[in-house]
Amino acid sequence: MWSGTWVAERLGVSLEDSEGGPRLTELLGLALRRNPKRAHLLVSQVLGKHVPQSPRTVYAAGYGLGERVRALLGEDGAAAAVVLGYAETATGLGHCVADGLGSAPYLHSTRRPVPGVEPAGGFEEAHSHATSHLLLPEDPQLLAGSGPLVLVDDEFSTGNTVLNTIRDLHARHPRPHYVVVALVDMRSPADRDRLTAFAAELGARVDLIALASGTVSLPDDVLTKGQALVEEHEALTEALPAAAQIQPAPPADAEPASPAEAGPVAPAGQIQPAPWAESGAVAPAEGVTAAGQNQAAPWAESRAVAPAEDVTAAGQIQPAPWAESEPVAPAQDISAAGQNQPLRRLRSGVRGGAPADGPQPVTRVELNWPSGVPDGGRHGFTPAHRARLEAALPELADRLTAALGTGPGTEPGPGTEPGPGRILVLGNEELMYAPLRLAKALEEAGAAREVRFSTTTRSPVLAVDDPGYAIRTRLVFPAHDAPADGPGDRYAYNVAGAGFDAVIAVVDSAGDTPELHAGLLTALAPHTGRVVLAVVPSYVPDPPATPDRQEPIMPEPLRGPAFSSYAPEDVGWLLQDFSDVELEAPTEEREEAIQAGGAHYAESLPVEYQPSPQYQELYQSALTASAARIARAVGTVTETVLAERSPSPVLVSLARAGTPVGVLMRRWAQTRYGLDLPHYAVSIVRGRGIDANALRWLAAHHDPADVVFVDGWTGKGAITRELRDALAEFEGFNPEIVVLADPGSCVDTYGTREDFLIPSACLNSTVSGLISRTVLRSDLVGPADFHGAKFYRELAGADVSVAFVDTVAAHFDEVADAVDEEVKELLAADRTPTWEGWAAVERISEEHGIHDVNLVKPGVGETTRVLLRRVPWKILAQRGAGPDLDHVRLLAEQRGVPVEEVDGLPYTCVGLIHPRFTRGATGADGKAVASK
């Protein structure tokens, strides 16, 4: 059944095809919305907005249109073209058109103002729910050229939006050629004539390309009747009894219901790709010359494709399996709290509902999005950006696949779970392209039996549970990205009741807010077995450099004693002081929020652990026993840096574990050679990258080639990779980190590769200048700010930071000869990283059923951090490990955490964070441990 039947029968609306293209009923359904300007809504089956669809089909529709534009313009015209998409609905479509065009940069309009970015234009979309569009290109000259401008929207109904756009841009930067692209062209003859006359008035050529064309036949009273119909069904919805609410899905082992009992199974995703979607063949183009003559363009020749399993021999889009099911109630409206408003029943047999014991916590995936690649086209997206994204997509898909399970058809083994059968990648309003590409990569990698893509929207549409209606269900939740037009409801259509085993919600970091978790993610949880959150960094361009605009004055580094207990010459902190900000939270609360996806670890601080007298004695004993060993490692790494990297390096330690090492390296160079090396501390955050403003400060004050990044030790090498990726966008910096100890074999410049106790890992701020771990939170750190940290002045009585450095430095002379011999050997040796630590962590993660390498912390230093700051599950210790683990054993005993001795461990020990933490799951006795 056509998904426009319900509206057509009640309002007398019909779609009339033009000759030569796919039938409009294959591409469009109909729905109703509460809109005083237009009651009906054309619902695309291939856009990926309201109807979940195969990402390959969505991408192919836009890419094929781009190929048609390239053929129309020729190679020279295509090389000079710029593509402009419309927010919010066509942001992803326009991006796909730009991909098909090949070498064109892409920009989409936006409804989100960005401070510091000057608009390069704007226009109104008269019939839209939210009308004002802004153009915010990072490059102010992007729209100033004379080459063809390609404007992309999902549909043309009247052409008013296109006229408004061209009128605004042509007044600023006239050009001779415009190409307008859409999935469907539904203009009336009068509207077509108006565009022809407009083109003649401009003296410009305007071409039109669409997949299909036709008209919408509307009765005179359609607006009045449509509004009355919406009110009628909304009133009926409110009157339905609670018994009509959606019932939870049955347990996974429940007997499948018969088709008659099952009711509707899935509102979306069953729309299968027709051959034109895969082939790139599109509907006829219509060219409009300056003189107003219509130039008919022939169809592109279709490339033959083998019939897919889900495409009929005739190439018709298949109806959803529920198309023959009985219609029930008129609508379904589901609140943000996940409560089902009285609308319709979903009987047993619906796959992919929440498990019997309730929804699972949100799984947050650190995407490792390529640094410097924009999240979309809001500020421009170049072919170079696309190439970098293409290269990164396999790894991004692997990270998502790991979060989902083992993949389709995989039998579960020890510590594994079967992969999902059906997954939905759900984008967010204007953020359509990034989630589409992620979904397509998952589909091509076979991450699930079936992958579908759609996005949330700000457009309110009536939901009616009828097989002849395009919007079967809707979820309602509050906006979560501080929109310029204020708070309001947002919607996800055809998701509830669709039988998705997992939903991957993709948002940009501007939308990663508490409202997201209380709203959209909470609304999704009852309707799927698993909710995964993937956050793409919001791209904010730097202000353009102009002669009359001075670069912002960067603050000078913070120094002791005003900030930190180190001497001012020991280190300059490229941070801002958050000492007066309340950032601490109990360890258990932080862990629960982090693992539930409600927070990033860098957004808060753990309560500072204050060591007991017994623990302090262990620290002093460890320092006495290992000071000479540490001094030797400090000398070795410093001499290697001086010999291989720079005779006058600028030491930049990664706050805060790297800072004591940077102070010691500086002290070695001063003691041995009289060098006064600059030393700074900067913030780097896993999943968020290095402080870009700190790098800009360094580049403005030093030669980037002299900068040497310093850390305390490597675990599995996550920060090593983070630094390398973050520095890809900054010229001149060497991304190779140097460390005191490299037990994970992740770097080629180190003091030792042994996993031994570095006493500075035993304590927190009291051995690191009384500075907290760094903080990165959007409400505290602006685009031009350094990351932040706290100075715990009140802990001065327990501070051993300077004493630690002095104790180690006292052994420099006695280890000098051994250092010289060791450095000679190292300089001649093959020090290529083997990454054996990473391999071990992956093995341990699977062996213990954790399935998340971020919860496995290898090495003495990382294990100590787990016990001090996180919620530990268990400690794996190398059998026979000696005094290096005395402090670990004591901390584990205090927290009720078992220590298991194992064989074949490449580290002295490994700490495992509790993989399914909720408060009450801490420690061996199952009780939460109070923060110290």
Side-chain angles (χ1 to χ4, degrees), residues 573-656:
W573 302 84
L574 295 177
L575 298 169
Q576 54 177 322
D577 189 353
F578 287 167
S579 299
D580 296 329
V581 182
E582 188 65 37
L583 293 167
E584 290 78 10
T587 301
E588 288 73 28
E589 291 182 11
R590 292 181 75 249
E591 192 66 44
E592 187 170 29
I594 291 169
Q595 291 201 30
H600 189 278
Y601 78 90
E603 294 173 349
S604 63
L605 293 173
V607 177
E608 279 283 306
Y609 171 76
Q610 294 304 299
S612 65
Q614 183 182 6
Y615 189 85
Q616 288 177 329
E617 290 178 9
L618 278 177
Y619 164 79
Q620 291 297 338
S621 298
L623 179 58
T624 300
S626 62
R629 192 178 183 185
I630 297 169
R632 181 171 174 175
V634 168
T636 298
V637 70
T638 308
E639 294 287 352
T640 305
V641 166
L642 293 172
E644 291 187 334
R645 296 285 291 271
S646 171
S648 55
V650 177
L651 303 177
V652 178
S653 59
L654 303 182
R656 67 187 170 181

XYZ file of all heavy atoms in Angstrom, residues 573-656:
646
model
N 52.288 26.702 33.100
C 51.068 25.927 32.833
C 50.214 26.681 31.808
O 49.714 27.773 32.094
C 50.265 25.726 34.112
C 51.017 25.038 35.217
C 51.858 25.625 36.115
C 50.991 23.646 35.526
N 52.363 24.681 36.976
C 51.842 23.451 36.644
C 50.328 22.543 34.990
C 52.046 22.205 37.226
C 50.527 21.301 35.572
C 51.380 21.127 36.663
N 50.044 26.117 30.616
C 49.165 26.708 29.610
C 47.738 26.228 29.887
O 47.139 25.430 29.150
C 49.628 26.321 28.208
C 51.000 26.878 27.810
C 51.411 26.379 26.432
C 51.008 28.392 27.852
N 47.218 26.734 30.995
C 45.897 26.360 31.501
C 45.224 27.604 32.058
O 45.869 28.630 32.278
C 46.007 25.313 32.619
C 46.624 23.957 32.276
C 46.882 23.165 33.548
C 45.706 23.169 31.339
N 43.928 27.500 32.321
C 43.250 28.535 33.080
C 42.900 27.981 34.458
O 42.704 26.774 34.624
C 42.016 29.060 32.361
C 40.992 28.020 31.934
C 39.769 28.664 31.299
O 39.313 29.720 31.733
N 39.224 28.030 30.275
N 42.838 28.856 35.438
C 42.686 28.476 36.840
C 41.211 28.302 37.191
O 40.446 29.263 37.170
C 43.321 29.546 37.723
C 43.408 29.128 39.184
O 42.855 28.063 39.531
O 44.012 29.877 39.973
N 40.830 27.075 37.508
C 39.468 26.765 37.932
C 39.385 26.516 39.440
O 38.474 25.829 39.907
C 38.946 25.518 37.198
C 38.606 25.723 35.753
C 38.376 24.635 34.920
C 38.518 26.991 35.219
C 38.057 24.818 33.584
C 38.206 27.186 33.878
C 37.969 26.097 33.057
N 40.324 27.065 40.187
C 40.395 26.754 41.612
C 39.113 27.090 42.357
O 38.782 26.439 43.358
C 41.572 27.499 42.256
O 42.794 27.098 41.677
N 38.381 28.075 41.897
C 37.171 28.499 42.593
C 35.907 27.844 42.052
O 34.796 28.209 42.446
C 37.029 30.024 42.494
C 38.170 30.753 43.218
O 38.680 30.205 44.212
O 38.542 31.847 42.760
N 36.059 26.894 41.144
C 34.896 26.231 40.543
C 34.690 24.873 41.211
O 35.650 24.108 41.386
C 35.092 26.042 39.027
C 33.857 25.401 38.408
C 35.397 27.380 38.370
N 33.460 24.571 41.592
C 33.151 23.279 42.202
C 33.054 22.226 41.108
O 32.110 22.201 40.314
C 31.818 23.357 42.960
C 31.515 22.123 43.790
C 32.497 21.913 44.936
O 32.927 22.907 45.544
O 32.834 20.750 45.214
N 34.048 21.359 41.035
C 34.125 20.375 39.956
C 34.155 18.935 40.440
O 33.992 18.005 39.644
C 35.387 20.629 39.110
C 35.404 21.928 38.294
C 36.803 22.195 37.772
C 34.411 21.833 37.139
N 34.377 18.740 41.750
C 34.551 17.385 42.265
C 33.212 16.665 42.425
O 32.195 17.283 42.767
C 35.278 17.404 43.609
C 36.738 17.788 43.521
C 36.960 19.270 43.367
O 35.981 20.041 43.507
O 38.111 19.678 43.110
N 33.239 15.379 42.170
C 32.075 14.519 42.392
C 32.567 13.197 42.962
O 33.691 12.770 42.659
C 31.314 14.284 41.089
N 31.753 12.531 43.793
C 32.162 11.225 44.324
C 32.519 10.258 43.202
O 31.915 10.279 42.123
C 30.924 10.750 45.095
C 30.219 12.012 45.469
C 30.450 12.957 44.316
N 33.511 9.436 43.457
C 34.019 8.529 42.426
C 32.916 7.675 41.830
O 32.840 7.489 40.608
C 35.109 7.631 43.031
O 36.155 8.456 43.523
C 35.650 6.659 42.000
N 32.045 7.148 42.673
C 30.999 6.252 42.185
C 30.011 6.987 41.282
O 29.560 6.460 40.265
C 30.269 5.596 43.371
C 31.104 4.542 44.092
C 32.218 5.175 44.936
O 32.042 6.326 45.398
O 33.264 4.535 45.108
N 29.669 8.218 41.648
C 28.759 8.987 40.803
C 29.390 9.288 39.446
O 28.741 9.217 38.397
C 28.369 10.288 41.510
C 27.477 10.098 42.722
C 27.080 11.423 43.349
O 27.329 12.464 42.711
O 26.538 11.408 44.470
N 30.671 9.649 39.440
C 31.357 9.929 38.183
C 31.396 8.685 37.298
O 31.132 8.750 36.096
C 32.790 10.413 38.437
C 32.895 11.763 39.094
C 34.353 12.170 39.271
N 34.947 12.574 38.005
C 35.876 11.884 37.368
N 36.314 10.734 37.856
N 36.385 12.310 36.236
N 31.727 7.557 37.886
C 31.839 6.329 37.096
C 30.507 5.951 36.474
O 30.429 5.567 35.303
C 32.351 5.179 37.966
C 32.761 3.945 37.184
C 33.972 4.224 36.300
O 34.926 4.869 36.770
O 33.948 3.805 35.132
N 29.445 6.076 37.263
C 28.130 5.734 36.737
C 27.762 6.646 35.575
O 27.266 6.199 34.541
C 27.086 5.851 37.849
C 25.713 5.345 37.433
C 24.768 5.244 38.618
O 24.919 6.016 39.578
O 23.883 4.390 38.578
N 28.037 7.945 35.719
C 27.711 8.887 34.652
C 28.553 8.646 33.407
O 28.060 8.696 32.279
C 27.918 10.323 35.145
N 29.844 8.353 33.596
C 30.734 8.121 32.461
C 30.306 6.882 31.693
O 30.172 6.887 30.467
C 32.200 7.993 32.942
C 32.718 9.349 33.459
C 33.094 7.474 31.817
C 34.039 9.253 34.187
N 30.057 5.783 32.410
C 29.728 4.531 31.723
C 28.320 4.533 31.151
O 28.036 3.826 30.196
C 29.932 3.342 32.660
C 31.390 3.097 32.988
C 31.639 1.683 33.456
O 30.957 0.750 33.066
N 32.637 1.520 34.313
N 27.425 5.337 31.734
C 26.074 5.447 31.189
C 26.015 6.384 30.000
O 24.983 6.557 29.378
C 25.108 5.921 32.275
N 27.151 7.013 29.675
C 27.180 7.945 28.560
C 26.716 9.330 28.926
O 26.574 10.185 28.062
N 26.507 9.603 30.204
C 25.987 10.891 30.621
C 27.038 11.942 30.830
O 26.711 13.100 31.072
N 28.309 11.576 30.779
C 29.365 12.553 31.022
C 30.667 12.037 30.433
O 30.852 10.837 30.251
C 29.534 12.816 32.516
N 31.565 12.959 30.141
C 32.920 12.623 29.740
C 33.807 12.764 30.975
O 33.559 13.621 31.824
C 33.385 13.560 28.635
C 34.683 13.158 28.006
N 35.902 13.476 28.575
C 34.962 12.472 26.876
C 36.875 12.999 27.815
N 36.326 12.386 26.777
N 34.832 11.927 31.069
C 35.639 11.941 32.276
C 36.305 13.290 32.523
O 36.621 13.643 33.658
C 36.693 10.824 32.221
C 37.899 11.118 31.355
C 39.030 11.743 31.871
C 37.928 10.765 30.008
C 40.138 12.019 31.081
C 39.023 11.031 29.214
C 40.125 11.658 29.760
O 41.208 11.939 28.971
N 36.511 14.088 31.464
C 37.201 15.370 31.614
C 36.276 16.502 32.037
O 36.718 17.637 32.168
C 37.901 15.750 30.313
N 34.992 16.215 32.242
C 34.049 17.270 32.596
C 33.937 17.481 34.099
O 33.281 18.434 34.539
C 32.677 16.956 32.002
C 32.674 16.991 30.472
C 31.373 16.517 29.880
O 30.547 15.964 30.641
O 31.172 16.694 28.671
N 34.517 16.602 34.887
C 34.476 16.751 36.341
C 35.781 16.216 36.909
O 36.636 15.698 36.186
C 33.284 15.983 36.925
O 33.422 14.591 36.684
N 35.936 16.322 38.223
C 37.130 15.839 38.897
C 36.740 14.862 40.000
O 35.715 15.052 40.662
C 37.901 17.007 39.526
C 38.529 18.015 38.566
C 39.100 19.194 39.351
C 39.609 17.364 37.719
N 37.544 13.837 40.213
C 37.298 12.983 41.376
C 37.682 13.717 42.653
O 38.498 14.641 42.632
C 38.219 11.786 41.125
C 39.337 12.352 40.307
C 38.724 13.422 39.447
N 37.074 13.324 43.739
C 37.487 13.869 45.027
C 38.926 13.418 45.281
O 39.261 12.236 45.136
C 36.552 13.375 46.151
C 37.034 13.885 47.507
C 35.125 13.839 45.876
N 39.810 14.345 45.619
C 41.223 14.036 45.802
C 41.436 13.000 46.909
O 40.985 13.190 48.046
C 42.000 15.311 46.142
C 42.353 16.150 44.943
C 43.528 15.586 44.162
O 44.598 15.355 44.759
O 43.373 15.378 42.943
N 42.097 11.919 46.564
C 42.415 10.879 47.541
C 43.483 11.375 48.495
O 44.547 11.839 48.077
C 42.911 9.634 46.805
C 43.480 8.569 47.716
C 42.654 7.760 48.478
C 44.864 8.387 47.811
C 43.180 6.786 49.322
C 45.401 7.418 48.640
C 44.557 6.624 49.392
O 45.078 5.658 50.220
N 43.200 11.293 49.770
C 44.174 11.677 50.787
C 44.753 10.415 51.405
O 44.040 9.637 52.055
C 43.520 12.545 51.853
C 43.055 13.894 51.307
C 44.191 14.656 50.642
O 45.190 14.983 51.278
N 44.052 14.920 49.349
N 46.042 10.158 51.211
C 46.619 8.881 51.636
C 46.650 8.740 53.154
O 46.857 9.702 53.891
C 48.039 8.939 51.054
C 48.321 10.399 50.891
C 47.022 11.040 50.560
N 46.463 7.508 53.566
C 46.579 7.185 54.994
C 48.051 7.205 55.389
O 48.946 7.156 54.535
C 45.998 5.799 55.243
O 46.780 4.815 54.571
N 48.362 7.268 56.688
C 49.768 7.216 57.121
C 50.488 5.978 56.585
O 51.658 6.056 56.196
C 49.653 7.212 58.641
C 48.369 7.940 58.922
C 47.451 7.532 57.821
N 49.785 4.847 56.568
C 50.403 3.609 56.071
C 50.764 3.749 54.592
O 51.843 3.331 54.153
C 49.438 2.431 56.273
C 50.016 1.073 55.863
C 49.015 -0.053 56.030
O 47.846 0.188 56.347
N 49.464 -1.285 55.829
N 49.865 4.367 53.818
C 50.124 4.547 52.396
C 51.268 5.534 52.171
O 52.112 5.344 51.286
C 48.855 5.037 51.702
C 48.944 5.048 50.186
C 48.665 3.908 49.445
C 49.316 6.202 49.500
C 48.745 3.911 48.057
C 49.404 6.225 48.122
C 49.114 5.080 47.400
O 49.201 5.084 46.028
N 51.324 6.597 52.975
C 52.412 7.562 52.852
C 53.756 6.903 53.133
O 54.766 7.221 52.483
C 52.172 8.738 53.794
C 51.038 9.646 53.356
C 50.773 10.766 54.347
O 50.970 10.609 55.546
N 50.300 11.896 53.852
N 53.789 5.989 54.088
C 55.026 5.266 54.378
C 55.444 4.425 53.176
O 56.636 4.335 52.852
C 54.835 4.370 55.609
C 54.709 5.144 56.922
C 54.467 4.219 58.094
O 54.571 2.983 57.907
O 54.155 4.708 59.192
N 54.440 3.798 52.523
C 54.752 3.005 51.330
C 55.327 3.889 50.225
O 56.266 3.503 49.530
C 53.492 2.307 50.812
C 53.086 0.995 51.482
C 51.776 0.489 50.889
C 54.178 -0.061 51.292
N 54.746 5.068 50.047
C 55.261 5.995 49.039
C 56.717 6.351 49.330
O 57.571 6.308 48.431
C 54.407 7.261 48.999
C 55.091 8.401 48.277
C 55.121 8.444 46.886
C 55.743 9.403 48.987
C 55.773 9.473 46.221
C 56.401 10.444 48.329
C 56.413 10.473 46.947
O 57.065 11.480 46.287
N 57.025 6.715 50.573
C 58.392 7.093 50.923
C 59.352 5.933 50.720
O 60.468 6.101 50.209
C 58.444 7.579 52.382
C 57.739 8.913 52.618
C 58.386 10.062 51.860
O 59.559 10.008 51.480
N 57.621 11.120 51.638
N 58.936 4.734 51.097
C 59.782 3.550 50.888
C 60.021 3.313 49.400
O 61.142 2.993 48.974
C 59.133 2.318 51.516
O 58.992 2.473 52.908
N 58.950 3.461 48.600
C 59.082 3.250 47.162
C 60.016 4.286 46.545
O 60.836 3.956 45.675
C 57.707 3.324 46.500
N 59.921 5.533 46.988
C 60.775 6.583 46.456
C 62.236 6.316 46.803
O 63.132 6.444 45.949
C 60.338 7.943 46.996
C 61.161 9.153 46.545
C 61.161 9.262 45.024
C 60.622 10.438 47.175
N 62.482 5.928 48.048
C 63.852 5.639 48.467
C 64.447 4.503 47.643
O 65.605 4.560 47.207
C 63.884 5.277 49.962
O 63.372 6.381 50.719
C 65.291 4.952 50.421
N 63.630 3.469 47.404
C 64.125 2.286 46.694
C 64.319 2.530 45.200
O 65.179 1.900 44.572
C 63.158 1.120 46.911
N 63.525 3.429 44.611
C 63.539 3.556 43.146
C 64.122 4.864 42.645
O 64.193 5.071 41.433
C 62.103 3.417 42.607
O 61.285 4.456 43.105
N 64.563 5.763 43.528
C 65.016 7.085 43.090
C 66.159 6.994 42.079
O 66.175 7.709 41.064
C 65.427 7.924 44.297
N 67.138 6.127 42.337
C 68.264 6.004 41.410
C 67.808 5.426 40.068
O 68.289 5.840 38.995
C 69.350 5.131 42.027
N 66.893 4.482 40.132
C 66.372 3.880 38.904
C 65.629 4.929 38.058
O 65.753 4.974 36.836
C 65.422 2.744 39.307
C 64.984 1.818 38.206
C 64.104 0.745 38.846
N 63.671 -0.260 37.910
C 62.822 -1.245 38.217
N 62.368 -1.336 39.460
N 62.468 -2.130 37.315
N 64.864 5.781 38.728
C 64.156 6.848 38.024
C 65.150 7.851 37.450
O 65.014 8.306 36.312
C 63.164 7.545 38.968
C 62.090 6.563 39.430
C 62.512 8.737 38.286
C 61.236 7.086 40.548
N 66.166 8.200 38.228
C 67.181 9.148 37.756
C 67.852 8.634 36.492
O 68.118 9.402 35.555
C 68.214 9.391 38.859
N 68.108 7.344 36.463
C 68.743 6.766 35.274
C 67.813 6.870 34.060
O 68.258 7.217 32.953
C 69.095 5.311 35.554
C 69.774 4.600 34.400
C 70.282 3.239 34.845
N 70.810 2.466 33.732
C 71.409 1.290 33.858
N 71.580 0.761 35.082
N 71.852 0.646 32.813
N 66.524 6.593 34.259
C 65.571 6.693 33.156
C 65.428 8.142 32.697
O 65.329 8.424 31.493
C 64.218 6.127 33.578
N 65.442 9.087 33.651
C 65.365 10.507 33.293
C 66.568 10.899 32.450
O 66.447 11.562 31.407
C 65.296 11.381 34.563
C 65.511 12.860 34.209
C 63.959 11.197 35.266
N 67.761 10.487 32.880
C 68.962 10.802 32.119
C 68.938 10.198 30.738
O 69.314 10.851 29.753
N 68.492 8.946 30.639
C 68.472 8.265 29.345
C 67.538 8.952 28.365
O 67.896 9.200 27.194
C 68.057 6.795 29.533
O 69.020 6.134 30.370
C 67.957 6.073 28.200
N 66.330 9.275 28.796
C 65.383 9.896 27.864
C 65.825 11.311 27.512
O 65.693 11.746 26.351
C 63.949 9.869 28.437
C 63.778 10.820 29.622
C 62.938 10.191 27.351
N 66.400 12.044 28.459
C 66.840 13.404 28.165
C 68.008 13.409 27.192
O 68.042 14.188 26.226
C 67.232 14.135 29.454
O 66.174 14.035 30.402
C 67.518 15.604 29.186
N 68.981 12.535 27.405
C 70.128 12.465 26.509
C 69.701 12.039 25.099
O 70.234 12.532 24.106
C 71.170 11.490 27.064
C 71.816 11.926 28.375
C 72.795 13.079 28.198
O 73.097 13.455 27.040
O 73.250 13.625 29.224
N 68.742 11.130 25.020
C 68.252 10.706 23.704
C 67.587 11.863 22.975
O 67.773 12.051 21.766
C 67.263 9.535 23.861
O 67.880 8.475 24.589
C 66.829 9.006 22.501
N 66.813 12.649 23.695
C 66.161 13.814 23.096
C 67.203 14.810 22.605
O 67.116 15.327 21.479
C 65.201 14.476 24.113
C 64.785 15.868 23.633
C 63.985 13.604 24.340
N 68.217 15.104 23.422
C 69.245 16.068 23.032
C 70.035 15.577 21.823
O 70.465 16.374 20.984
C 70.185 16.330 24.206
C 69.570 17.048 25.423
C 70.556 17.068 26.592
C 69.159 18.471 25.056
N 70.220 14.266 21.725
C 71.011 13.713 20.622
C 70.206 13.618 19.332
O 70.752 13.812 18.237
C 71.536 12.332 21.002
N 68.910 13.311 19.440
C 68.128 12.999 18.243
C 67.101 14.060 17.857
O 66.782 14.210 16.674
C 67.380 11.674 18.433
C 68.282 10.455 18.482
C 67.494 9.167 18.501
O 66.327 9.185 18.970
O 68.029 8.139 18.054
N 66.568 14.780 18.812
C 65.450 15.666 18.508
C 65.874 17.120 18.352
O 65.501 17.774 17.381
C 64.379 15.547 19.606
C 63.735 14.159 19.690
C 62.752 13.945 18.556
N 61.600 14.794 18.721
C 60.513 14.451 19.406
N 60.432 13.247 19.978
N 59.500 15.274 19.507
N 66.579 17.642 19.330
C 66.979 19.044 19.264
C 68.020 19.316 20.333
O 67.891 18.826 21.460
C 65.766 19.958 19.483
O 66.176 21.310 19.619
N 69.050 20.089 20.016
C 70.031 20.437 21.049
C 69.466 21.444 22.058
O 70.034 21.619 23.130
C 71.186 21.040 20.245
C 70.544 21.554 18.995
C 69.421 20.621 18.690
N 68.366 22.090 21.702
C 67.737 23.036 22.630
C 66.223 22.828 22.606
O 65.477 23.669 22.106
C 68.084 24.471 22.250
O 67.734 24.714 20.889
N 65.757 21.703 23.106
C 64.332 21.385 23.006
C 63.472 22.274 23.902
O 63.924 22.799 24.920
C 64.275 19.930 23.469
C 65.440 19.783 24.394
C 66.514 20.663 23.809
N 62.239 22.431 23.502
C 61.212 23.059 24.329
C 60.364 21.915 24.882
O 59.655 21.248 24.120
C 60.342 24.032 23.505
C 59.232 24.620 24.375
C 61.197 25.127 22.901
N 60.464 21.657 26.167
C 59.751 20.544 26.785
C 58.298 20.932 27.037
O 58.018 21.968 27.649
C 60.415 20.143 28.100
C 61.899 19.761 28.019
C 62.448 19.452 29.407
C 62.107 18.577 27.080
N 57.392 20.115 26.559
C 55.960 20.359 26.757
C 55.357 19.087 27.341
O 55.157 18.098 26.628
C 55.264 20.734 25.438
C 53.774 20.941 25.672
C 55.888 21.995 24.849
N 55.125 19.104 28.634
C 54.612 17.915 29.296
C 53.096 17.877 29.218
O 52.421 18.913 29.167
C 55.061 17.873 30.758
O 54.616 19.009 31.472
N 52.561 16.682 29.187
C 51.120 16.475 29.173
C 50.646 16.432 30.617
O 50.951 15.505 31.364
C 50.775 15.185 28.434
C 51.303 15.120 26.989
C 50.861 13.824 26.324
C 50.846 16.319 26.178
N 49.910 17.490 30.981
C 49.489 17.626 32.374
C 48.479 16.514 32.701
O 47.610 16.224 31.890
C 48.857 18.997 32.595
N 48.609 15.876 33.897
C 49.619 16.279 34.833
C 50.675 15.196 35.048
O 51.736 15.469 35.625
C 48.982 16.617 36.170
C 48.370 15.450 36.877
C 47.597 15.870 38.113
N 46.838 14.746 38.599
C 46.043 14.742 39.634
N 45.902 15.848 40.316
N 45.387 13.689 39.988
